[in-house]
Amino acid sequence: MTDRLVGLSCTLYHVSSRDEILDAVCRLVIQRRALPSLDAVAAEAGLSKGGLIHHFRSRAALLDGLVERELDRVDAALTKAADRGSSARMWLELGSPDTQVIEVYRAMDVVLKALSSGESTLPKAVAVRLVHWDELLADELGDADQALVVRLVG
């Protein structure tokens, strides 16, 4: 891990090489609105291609890692909010992001479209998260149907 701290979504965390790589691919997708090559990601992250491959064996693994990290961030925010009894509010706030977060959402859209045409473990990972998020919302709202409406509208 590096000693650098980064603030995203009001959270401070240490940035690992893996996170630096994921940040690099996210920046490139946002800039280009297209998937970058592994060479471009390595250059943006300040690594050799071998260093990149050490963390992500393929472009699909790299893209899966990017989406999984964003799923983790949403999950952490919702879980923390659920502990305070405000998961529905958090879900709705996540559904109306600021400009910086909108760019990340657009990057995720590019990545998910690319992954939908190949082999990826993400459909299962996304499905598991959606079930968990529905449970958090239903626990707070006391009604599974209301929870589903909040998730779909938010």
Side-chain angles (χ1 to χ4, degrees):
M1 273 208 224
T2 66
D3 291 338
R4 190 162 55 98
L5 288 175
V6 175
L8 265 184
S9 303
C10 301
T11 304
L12 290 177
Y13 62 94
H14 284 281
V15 177
S16 66
S17 294
R18 180 179 169 84
D19 280 324
E20 289 175 347
I21 293 167
L22 294 175
D23 290 344
V25 73
C26 190
R27 280 191 305 274
L28 289 171
V29 171
I30 289 169
Q31 290 169 4
R32 299 175 181 187
R33 301 278 192 253
L35 298 178
S37 67
L38 290 178
D39 290 326
V41 174
E44 179 73 14
L47 297 171
S48 67
K49 189 170 180 180
L52 173 64
I53 298 297
H54 171 76
H55 293 281
F56 299 98
R57 298 222 177 263
S58 67
R59 188 161 85 161
L62 174 64
L63 300 176
D64 281 357
L66 182 62
V67 174
E68 286 173 8
R69 182 177 73 167
E70 296 309 316
L71 289 171
D72 289 344
R73 288 178 175 174
V74 170
D75 194 54
L78 282 176
T79 300
K80 186 176 179 180
D83 291 342
R84 296 187 312 264
S86 60
S87 60
R89 180 184 180 125
M90 176 57 69
W91 183 262
L92 294 173
E93 286 176 11
L94 290 169
S96 52
D98 62 24
T99 305
Q100 180 183 358
V101 176
I102 288 173
E103 290 300 315
V104 173
Y105 286 2
R106 287 182 181 146
M108 292 302 100
D109 183 51
V110 170
V111 169
L112 289 170
K113 284 178 183 173
L115 289 173
S116 69
S117 62
E119 291 184 28
S120 174
T121 60
L122 283 177
K124 183 177 179 181
V126 171
V128 168
R129 299 299 174 92
L130 289 175
V131 168
H132 180 234
W133 299 339
D134 284 342
E135 289 169 353
L136 290 174
L137 292 167
D139 287 348
E140 178 182 326
L141 299 172
D143 183 291
D145 292 333
Q146 280 184 335
L148 182 60
V149 169
V150 167
R151 183 172 60 79
L152 294 176
V153 171

